[in-house]
Amino acid sequence: MAKTVSIAIDGPAGAGKSTIARRLAQELGYCYVDTGAIYRTVAYFMDILGISPKDADGVAKYIDELTVEIEYDEAGKQHMIMNGMDVTEDIRTPEISQNASLVSAHSFVRDVLLDMQRDVAKKHNVIMDGRDIGTVVLPRATVKIFLTASAEVRAKRRYDEMIAKGQKAELSQVLKDIQQRDYQDTHRAVAPLKQAKDAVLVDTSRLDIEGVVAAIKAIIAEKVNP
Ligand code: DC
């Protein structure tokens, strides 16, 4: 099998990873994998069962009853399938964001999901976004980007997105949620969010989407088929 190209984009919540990764995947004809959606699906499953994401024994007891599949529709949009049910939209709430961050801290949860993520990258050219792609999931990724922005800028972007979708939101609460997730995601013992040694740092605080896409395309061009 020909060697596939993998582009890892890690960074904190709201840095613009999914928007940028989706755009790049479309332009390059790669498969976009949003790994946060996988953790969100686990969190959603536990929520339905009434298991706290912090309850390691409870999560461990029921994780084997969960099957998670990733499917793509004709437009290339990633769908999350939980035990045969499409939960793509259900996992996008502030509560599930927090629960996903908490449930992802258990090492056995991360272990269960590791092969699934690596398998996609073995079969397809991928742009994969998450927290530990460059450090743990694909340590030999062709290109590694660490995308970040100030917490205030990220909160404002998230807030605007929620308002545009017709959801209720308060900017101060969105900022608090982001800061809490930043803390949890960077302080957990297993696979914490951090920049890989060989990742290129891109701060998007002062860039618009076009600017970020252009910056990352230039980084990719240097490493892929130079
Ligand atoms: O990218 P996101 O906001 O959808 O991710 C939700 C949570 O899932 C995030 O706060 C931490 C966890 N996560 C992770 O631990 N590792 C990843 N590769 C992706 C997400």
Side-chain angles (χ1 to χ4, degrees), residues 208-220:
D208 61 8
I209 292 175
E210 299 309 322
V212 180
V213 169
I216 296 184
K217 270 167 87 173
I219 297 165
I220 294 173

Side-chain angles (χ1 to χ4, degrees), residues 15-32:
K17 298 186 298 293
S18 60
T19 310
I20 302 300
R22 200 174 297 124
R23 267 280 300 275
L24 287 166
Q26 246 168 16
E27 288 191 26
L28 299 169
Y30 287 10
C31 178
Y32 166 52

